[in-house]
Amino acid sequence: MSDNGSKISRRVFSATAASTLAFGTSALAQEDAALENDLRLEQTPTSSGRVVRNISSFTTKEWQPYFSNLNRGAVLVDTKSRALHFWSADGQTYKLFPTSVPATPELTRLGRTSVIRKRVGPDWRPTPSMLKRNPEWPPYIAPGPDNPLGTHALYLSWTYYRIHGTHDTRKIGRRSSNGCIGLYNRHIAELFDDVSVGTQVLLI
């Protein structure tokens, strides 16, 4: 990529500061602080007496209401609570991660899909509709700290849709994506090891 393209990508995705931290111990501290904020329930009552809860708070779930079996494992993404739930094929492992979700209902796709590909160090190309909306975006970003897919990506059977990491930790717990589901890089690395090609995925 040209130097100009690299500058554009850094400006568009605001990745420079986050990527500088992403590979050191300060990155873990940043993610810990962000994760603590995502999980915390605010207990201070408002003037009306109502207790305000963090918008990205979430609770554990059972797999049975969502899947008929756990063959090859299962991933449930709750776009309302902004959380990803994982169950292993043997039912012995359950994990829960905070996520980013699509920014608008128009960008949100719900329903059943599956993991068809896994990649460490993914590259990224904006979709045609993204480039139409944002013609200043670069047409290609190589793997690395400027890449919006972070360190790992799970490709779904839906064209253009991914579950992936992010170097911009501010996005987690927010409606901030163009359609994909984002996780902290250390969480997508953990999920990457647990999930196999063929794992069923449900977005609700």
Side-chain angles (χ1 to χ4, degrees):
M1 180 185 298
S2 68
D3 290 341
N4 184 53
S6 178
K7 290 177 182 177
I8 291 173
S9 69
R10 283 192 289 270
R11 184 175 72 251
V12 171
F13 300 107
S14 303
T16 303
S19 64
T20 301
L21 297 173
F23 301 102
T25 56
S26 57
L28 295 179
Q30 182 186 28
E31 289 187 5
D32 283 337
L35 177 58
E36 181 180 354
N37 181 65
D38 287 337
L39 297 175
R40 185 174 62 244
L41 299 181
E42 299 295 343
Q43 297 301 322
T44 304
T46 64
S47 57
S48 65
R50 181 173 60 89
V51 174
V52 177
R53 298 184 183 276
N54 186 292
I55 59 173
S56 60
S57 63
F58 45 80
T59 58
T60 59
K61 293 183 181 292
E62 299 293 335
W63 64 266
Q64 289 87 348
Y66 304 98
F67 302 96
S68 61
N69 60 69
L70 289 179
N71 294 344
R72 311 192 81 168
V75 170
L76 173 70
V77 178
D78 187 336
T79 59
K80 292 182 178 179
S81 65
R82 303 167 201 178
L84 183 149
H85 306 256
F86 167 77
W87 296 270
S88 61
D90 61 8
Q92 298 302 304
T93 300
Y94 169 73
K95 295 181 179 181
L96 175 59
F97 302 111
T99 72
S100 63
V101 297
T104 66
E106 292 75 22
L107 294 171
T108 304
R109 182 167 183 176
L110 305 179
R112 297 186 184 278
T113 179
S114 62
V115 175
I116 61 170
R117 182 185 173 203
K118 300 169 56 175
R119 185 169 179 185
V120 177
D123 57 3
W124 184 75
R125 289 178 173 83
T127 67
S129 61
M130 289 179 189
L131 289 175
K132 185 176 181 179
R133 293 192 303 270
N134 306 277
E136 74 279 11
W137 284 12
Y140 174 80
I141 298 181
D146 288 332
N147 194 295
L149 299 189
T151 59
H152 298 68
L154 303 172
Y155 294 70
L156 305 180
S157 62
W158 297 337
T159 303
Y160 301 129
Y161 286 83
R162 319 275 189 264
I163 298 172
H164 61 79
T166 179
H167 298 299
D168 188 352
T169 59
R170 298 168 299 176
K171 292 184 176 182
I172 303 302
R174 298 180 179 178
R175 295 190 178 279
S176 57
S177 83
N178 281 286
C180 293
I181 304 300
L183 284 78
Y184 291 120
N185 279 329
R186 57 175 165 160
H187 288 167
I188 189 62
E190 182 178 345
L191 182 66
F192 189 94
D193 290 338
D194 291 328
V195 167
S196 61
V197 171
T199 294
Q200 55 191 326
V201 179
L202 172 62
L203 276 73
I204 62 173

